[in-house]
Amino acid sequence: MVFLRRPDEPTDGFAQYLDEEQATRGFVPNYAYCFADRPDVAVAWKALNRTIVAGMDRRTYELASIAVARARRSTYCTTAHSKFLRDICDDPDALAAIETDPDGGALPARDQAVYRFARAVATDASAVTQAQIDGLRAQGFSDGDIAGIAYAAAARMFFTAVRTTGIFCRPS
């Protein structure tokens, strides 16, 4: 599904963005093309995301990202963050638990709290309850930790929405 056409001539900023992606990753991921008209948005999103990740436990970030990706039905983000959970966080057991129960019910209680809260933020943030916050606190999360999970969920929702629409996501 692609509703918008890629620009015939990429902007100088977009060409620079593609070069940076190539230099950083050794390839240009297909999501880079989602930002063909607005590479400044990609740069800002990446800076926001790096800031969010830097302020929280990476494993918690990945669990929250997977929960949001699944809630938003993004196989792209689910796959990417599952790989990060397995490879970067060295946690194939959590990944197996999510495979066993995609709603997070097979995860340990602390991880379930993260997973369910992130999913709640992704599906209806206005319906988050004090009981959910208290449940996270009971699992040892500080208010800053809880805010980090909400930030991670919100950032993932932005990217998932842009990526899922298919805007320019495939090179011509």
Side-chain angles (χ1 to χ4, degrees):
M1 146 179 57
V2 177
F3 298 114
L4 300 175
R5 290 185 297 274
R6 285 190 42 221
D8 291 333
E9 295 294 324
T11 65
D12 288 340
F14 184 60
Q16 179 182 346
Y17 170 66
L18 292 181
D19 289 345
E20 289 169 6
E21 287 291 306
Q22 177 71 39
T24 300
R25 301 174 188 284
F27 66 96
V28 175
N30 69 353
Y31 72 73
Y33 295 91
C34 296
F35 300 103
D37 271 329
R38 294 292 308 273
D40 57 322
V41 173
V43 170
W45 176 79
K46 286 174 79 169
L48 172 65
N49 206 49
R50 278 193 305 271
T51 302
I52 292 167
V53 173
M56 66 188 299
D57 172 70
R58 179 63 186 259
R59 188 175 170 283
T60 300
Y61 171 81
E62 297 305 341
L63 286 169
S65 295
I66 294 167
V68 171
R70 292 188 65 81
R72 306 300 289 182
R73 299 188 332 223
S74 171
T75 53
Y76 186 93
C77 291
T78 299
T79 301
H81 289 281
S82 294
K83 182 180 184 324
F84 298 149
L85 180 63
R86 184 194 68 204
D87 297 348
I88 294 173
C89 301
D90 192 26
D91 197 348
D93 294 339
L95 193 55
I98 294 168
E99 184 178 354
T100 299
D101 182 349
D103 291 330
L107 291 165
R110 183 173 166 86
D111 295 345
Q112 281 184 38
V114 170
Y115 200 87
R116 290 182 176 154
F117 178 68
R119 189 177 62 210
V121 170
T123 55
D124 186 359
S126 69
V128 169
T129 65
Q130 185 65 51
Q132 289 169 307
I133 301 299
D134 292 343
L136 285 161
R137 286 182 181 138
Q139 292 298 325
F141 290 100
S142 69
D143 286 1
D145 296 333
I146 296 166
I149 297 165
Y151 300 151
R156 180 61 31 214
M157 288 168 32
F158 166 78
F159 183 80
T160 299
V162 169
R163 174 65 181 86
T164 302
T165 61
I167 298 171
F168 311 130
C169 287
R170 287 183 181 69
S172 341

